[in-house]
């Protein structure tokens, strides 16, 4: 039986007829429902990789091959879901450890994030930024408040956040060093103010007045000196005056 289908005639392109040729070709491809290929391009089908092909290489029936591939990829999906659950739990409980630097914490958390992405998890930067801010050490609490008030977390990049935190940390360390030096100077000045004049260690003059040191007085009861005014002083051996007048 002869076919009544008419084969479309493809217009010939020359240097002079490009405009009309373009219109005719568009109409031709449109009539064959092929114009989308010109606009969107052709996507090559995904080829079966070698390990997957080996699983069905000896299979003769397509139904059997279909079932084998279904079992294989369902198992892969199940393992992937378990992996995602484990990584998601690690991400949620992660927090900055005592003594851990900002860069080390960022690196540890981003390893988890990259594993989540490689297993098909869609995780946006804003989620990572918010996680980092709420899991930092307590000493960064006022820094977190400052960043949340001055930055738009939806557009804040992870690298930008790390840079901001490192700058704030440097200011914190600088201020802490200044406070330590100031406290040390204040302590030194306080010790100087509390030390008595002429102190060279040992006993003071008031202490020597109670013992046998020079400048003290002793009674001469054997020579008839008694009472407060009849005191013979060691320095002048005289009575009737105070030690300050000697």
């Amino acid at each position: 039986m002869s076919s009544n289908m008419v084969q479309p005639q493809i217009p010939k392109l020359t240097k002079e007829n490009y405009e009309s040729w373009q219109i005719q070709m568009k109409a031709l491809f449109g009539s064959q429902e092929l114009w989308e290929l010109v606009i969107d391009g052709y996507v090559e089908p995904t080829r079966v990789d070698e390990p997957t092909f080996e699983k069905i290489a000896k299979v003769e029936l397509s139904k059997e091959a279909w079932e084998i591939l279904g079992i294989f990829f369902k198992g892969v999906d199940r393992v992937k879901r378990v992996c995602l659950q484990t990584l998601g739990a690690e991400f949620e409980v992660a927090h900055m450890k005592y003594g851990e630097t900002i860069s080390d914490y960022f690196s540890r958390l981003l390893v988890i994030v990259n594993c989540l992405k490689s297993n098909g998890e869609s995780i946006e930067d804003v989620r990572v930024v918010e996680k980092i801010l709420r899991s930092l050490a307590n000493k960064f609490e006022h820094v977190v408040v400052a960043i949340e008030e001055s930055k738009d977390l939806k557009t804040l990049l992870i690298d930008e956040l790390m840079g901001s935190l490192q700058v704030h940390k440097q200011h914190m360390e600088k201020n802490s060093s200044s406070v330590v030096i100031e406290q040390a100077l204040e302590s030194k000045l306080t010790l100087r103010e509390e030390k008595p004049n002429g102190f060279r260690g040992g006993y003071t003059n008031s202490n020597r007045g109670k013992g046998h040191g020079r400048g003290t007085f002793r009674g001469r009861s054997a020579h008839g000196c008694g009472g407060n005014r009849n005191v013979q002083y060691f320095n002048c051996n005289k009575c009737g005056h105070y030690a300050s007048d000697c």
Side-chain angles (χ1 to χ4, degrees), residues 9-28:
Q9 185 177 0
I10 299 177
K12 185 178 180 180
L13 175 64
T14 63
K15 295 181 179 179
E16 293 79 14
N17 69 340
Y18 173 74
E19 294 296 335
S20 61
W21 175 86
Q22 181 184 20
I23 296 173
Q24 294 179 59
M25 289 297 297
K26 185 175 181 180
L28 176 61

Side-chain angles (χ1 to χ4, degrees), residues 20-39:
S20 61
W21 175 86
Q22 181 184 20
I23 296 173
Q24 294 179 59
M25 289 297 297
K26 185 175 181 180
L28 176 61
F29 280 110
S31 64
Q32 301 296 322
E33 298 182 354
L34 299 175
W35 182 245
E36 288 77 7
L37 293 176
V38 179
I39 300 300

Side-chain angles (χ1 to χ4, degrees), residues 149-160:
E149 292 180 350
S150 61
K151 304 284 187 179
D152 184 3
L153 301 185
K154 294 181 179 180
T155 59
L156 181 62
L157 300 178
I158 297 176
D159 293 339
E160 184 180 356

